[in-house]
Amino acid sequence: MAPVASQVAPPRPDFPTISQQNGVKPVSKAVLHLGHLPEKPKSPTEFHKSTYPRTPTRIDPNNPPWPAYRGYHEYSFAHATMGHRLPTILGKAIEDAVKTLNEQTDEDLILDLLGCIERMDDLMKDLSGNAKLRPIVDDGEGDIPLWNKEIAKYFQGKDFMNAPWLFAEAYKYRRLHECFTLSKHWRELDVFFRQKCDTFSRSQQAVFELATRFARPFKLPEGITEDKKALMLEAMFLELTQVCLWGNSTDLSLLINMTEEDIKKLQSTGGDHLAATIQNILGNDLPELWNVVKDLNNARVDFVLDNAGFELFCDCVYADFLIQSGHVSKVHFHGKRFAWFVSDVTFKDFNWLINSMVYGQLFPTASDSELDALRTLGERWKTYVREGKWIYEQHAFWCTGFTFWDLHSEAPDLFLHLSKSDLVFFKGDLNHRKLTYDCAAPASTPFDIAIGPMANFAGAPRVVSLRTIKSDVVVGLDSDETAERLDREEPGWKISGKYAVVLLSHGRPGEKVRFN
């Protein structure tokens, strides 16, 4: 091997150094030619080729199983989110609060809401100025110990950009909630509620595509063999699972300036569209998922919900089908206790959707038959709620900065509750990020390994992630080559919502749950 060459860089005569001015001979600087050393990585992901994660004793919220995405990583979506998306979202939230302020007539309400807006302005300064993450102020909420314990143990001195992106983003939404919980009259104000309602009202074409098909309970044709019935039920299941999957495309935190036509394209539920998009499901456990569902009888399934509006509508259509199929008798829906990541489902959103279907006037151009179909569907869902077939829940853990790797230790009651489910659907990008610790695992990492305790702890339920890909973390693919090819051919593919995964973990159901 040839020796590494070096040469002395000539001094710049036009700018004498301090040493030269003082008569001191400048130190020579060597310019090294590194042509014989190993090549630099072509992309940041090449730093993260480790097949398996850190050992469990070395994992904590600031040190995920693989390297965390952080706001200062300019190559990642974390950078765009922390630097641009979150300030934009917060700005729109302030606009909504001001709109509510301008609708008030009572002085006490006005002054109280002005205090909320001032706190929102302070949050904007902290976010834009990359301030240190302070403890959450005691606002009477039951989650204070969880939040401030995590900040004290793992994030002292961290700021919005150098804390792991997942925690910093969640922290921002908890700080936003604090702006209102410190008030007297506005604790329950949802500054994203108008946006959620508006997006559903602009989803007319997709809503009636489904409502007109499922208003009446479905029936398989008479006089056909059991094998034929099973094939028809499987085909319906696979199509509806895709509807439930791609309904996740409507995420208000991403669709900041999207037109109505753009939304229609994302929400297309026609058969041709589904056939064309199945090739974009990069990790596809759909056949295996059907094998699980078809063996269920009088079962309980859970949905850890993501977005309100059209996605929630799709989730409910899917849950309705599972009830009607006879495989499922009870569905637990898990939502958020307060406004979270713009469009996440709250109990208010859940009730609004069903009541709007029955009583609302959101679609003035719809035909009478379409409105009758929507009303009939909503009335059946109301019956499910009254009869206890559909149950809505909102555990405090879902609105914390912890990932689901910590669910077993930080919310043992919730882990025990989920362990009694026959199948748990985790919907959407945020839930997928929390399942996988939102870190730079190789794309070929098996799903069971990526979700850690949610797959390998005793009593862990069967888990399926239905996720359109809208952030950096990608696991469960057959090989790393798929992700590397898309990195070359389609920059930005990880945030476009064009691709998806349906990933299943069989867990360890039936085993006795144990806590240390």
Side-chain angles (χ1 to χ4, degrees):
M1 178 177 176
V4 178
S6 67
Q7 66 183 37
V8 176
R12 296 185 61 186
D14 48 339
F15 292 103
T17 66
I18 294 176
S19 299
Q20 289 173 327
Q21 294 173 11
N22 294 333
V24 180
K25 185 177 180 180
V27 177
S28 299
K29 294 183 179 180
V31 178
L32 301 179
H33 298 279
L34 307 180
H36 296 279
L37 298 184
E39 290 186 4
K40 292 174 64 177
K42 295 182 174 63
S43 72
T45 57
E46 293 192 23
F47 284 112
H48 313 313
K49 291 294 186 181
S50 173
T51 306
Y52 292 97
R54 293 186 175 98
T55 57
T57 55
R58 296 175 55 212
I59 295 172
D60 64 52
N62 194 41
N63 295 284
W66 287 272
Y69 295 107
R70 302 178 191 263
Y72 65 82
H73 292 160
E74 295 186 9
Y75 60 82
S76 73
F77 192 45
H79 184 72
T81 295
M82 300 307 299
H84 174 68
R85 285 180 58 242
L86 288 192
T88 301
I89 290 167
L90 181 56
K92 287 184 173 293
I94 293 172
E95 291 175 7
D96 186 273
V98 170
K99 184 174 182 178
T100 300
L101 177 74
N102 293 337
E103 296 168 347
Q104 306 309 308
T105 58
D106 184 277
E107 185 176 17
D108 286 343
L109 295 178
I110 292 171
L111 293 175
D112 199 27
L113 187 51
L114 277 173
C116 298
I117 295 170
E118 289 173 3
R119 287 187 287 273
M120 294 172 80
D121 288 334
D122 291 340
L123 175 57
M124 179 68 85
K125 292 174 184 174
D126 285 353
L127 184 60
S128 302
N130 192 29
K132 304 292 184 185
L133 307 184
R134 63 158 174 80
I136 302 297
V137 175
D138 188 353
D139 53 6
E141 293 285 279
D143 61 357
I144 293 293
L146 280 172
W147 274 102
N148 288 346
K149 177 180 73 172
E150 192 171 12
I151 293 170
K153 287 183 69 174
Y154 306 112
F155 301 113
Q156 287 191 48
K158 292 294 184 182
D159 55 44
F160 281 96
M161 296 300 279
N162 65 20
W165 171 32
L166 180 61
F167 182 83
E169 191 171 10
Y171 173 84
K172 174 259 180 180
Y173 285 98
R174 183 57 182 86
R175 283 279 306 274
L176 178 60
H177 183 53
E178 177 193 279
C179 295
F180 298 97
T181 52
L182 292 174
S183 70
K184 180 179 179 181
H185 302 290
W186 299 100
R187 294 181 65 90
E188 304 301 323
L189 181 64
D190 181 351
V191 289
F192 305 119
F193 184 68
R194 285 189 182 93
Q195 295 180 59
K196 290 182 277 192
C197 297
D198 180 61
T199 301
F200 183 70
S201 67
R202 293 160 62 194
S203 307
Q204 176 171 329
Q205 180 178 332
V207 167
F208 289 116
E209 176 77 25
L210 293 172
T212 52
R213 293 173 183 267
F214 289 97
R216 295 174 181 167
F218 76 87
K219 293 181 180 179
L220 297 174
E222 301 289 340
I224 62 175
T225 66
E226 291 301 313
D227 287 345
K228 181 68 172 176
K229 286 183 179 179
L231 287 173
M232 293 181 70
L233 197 62
E234 177 183 4
M236 195 180 303
F237 170 81
L238 295 176
E239 285 199 359
L240 272 179
T241 306
Q242 285 194 71
V243 169
C244 193
L245 168 68
W246 295 109
N248 172 245
S249 295
T250 310
D251 183 335
L252 292 179
S253 71
L254 296 171
L255 310 185
I256 294 174
N257 296 307
M258 193 159 273
T259 66
E260 187 167 349
E261 190 61 33
D262 293 330
I263 292 173
K264 287 179 181 178
K265 290 177 182 177
L266 282 174
Q267 294 175 339
S268 176
T269 57
D272 291 342
H273 175 78
L274 293 180
T277 55
I278 195 166
Q279 63 186 337
N280 293 338
I281 303 177
L282 302 180
N284 190 352
D285 289 338
L286 269 173
E288 193 176 352
L289 178 60
W290 168 245
N291 287 335
V292 170
V293 171
K294 73 179 182 181
D295 290 336
L296 297 179
N297 183 35
N298 200 34
R300 165 190 160 183
V301 300
D302 290 57
F303 283 81
V304 181
L305 298 169
D306 189 36
N307 294 318
F310 181 69
E311 184 183 348
L312 176 60
F313 178 76
C314 292
D315 296 340
C316 290
V317 169
Y318 191 46
D320 189 357
F321 165 78
L322 293 174
I323 293 280
Q324 291 185 52
S325 72
H327 294 296
V328 173
S329 61
K330 187 167 291 188
V331 178
H332 290 246
F333 295 99
H334 300 267
K336 306 303 191 297
R337 291 174 54 249
F338 51 83
W340 188 250
F341 281 68
V342 182
S343 51
D344 279 31
V345 178
T346 64
F347 190 40
K348 180 179 179 179
D349 299 322
F350 186 82
N351 285 330
W352 178 87
L353 173 70
I354 300 177
N355 284 324
S356 293
M357 292 168 63
V358 176
Y359 307 113
Q361 300 181 23
L362 298 176
F363 307 107
T365 62
S367 67
D368 289 342
S369 62
E370 288 175 328
L371 293 174
D372 285 343
L374 190 63
R375 190 175 302 111
T376 300
L377 194 59
E379 286 172 344
R380 185 164 71 245
W381 295 355
K382 278 180 167 288
T383 301
Y384 288 155
V385 173
R386 284 195 300 269
E387 294 178 348
K389 293 180 179 179
W390 283 10
I391 300 169
Y392 183 91
E393 303 174 359
Q394 47 184 18
H395 196 283
F397 180 81
W398 303 124
C399 290
T400 68
F402 285 106
T403 74
F404 301 157
W405 279 56
D406 295 308
L407 196 154
H408 181 276
S409 59
E410 299 297 335
D413 58 321
L414 180 57
F415 187 91
L416 184 63
H417 182 49
L418 294 176
S419 74
K420 299 173 183 176
S421 178
D422 295 289
L423 180 64
V424 182
F425 290 89
F426 283 88
K427 290 297 309 299
D429 197 70
L430 175 60
N431 284 324
H432 188 87
R433 289 169 62 194
K434 288 201 164 193
L435 277 170
T436 60
Y437 229 126
D438 197 39
C439 51
S444 60
T445 304
F447 186 54
D448 277 351
I449 292 175
I451 67 175
M454 290 301 294
N456 59 42
F457 275 22
R462 295 187 191 94
V463 164
V464 60
S465 178
L466 300 182
R467 178 230 187 176
T468 53
I469 300 172
K470 291 182 271 185
S471 62
D472 296 291
V473 60
V474 176
V475 299
L477 276 55
D478 290 336
S479 69
D480 293 334
E481 283 71 22
T482 300
E484 291 167 356
R485 174 181 57 81
L486 288 170
D487 283 339
R488 293 191 303 271
E489 297 177 0
E490 296 185 44
W493 68 274
K494 291 180 179 178
I495 61 173
S496 66
K498 176 181 176 181
Y499 296 96
V501 291
V502 178
L503 299 175
L504 175 68
S505 166
H506 288 280
R508 294 171 60 182
E511 297 185 36
K512 181 177 176 58
V513 176
R514 301 182 184 279
F515 301 107
N516 295 331

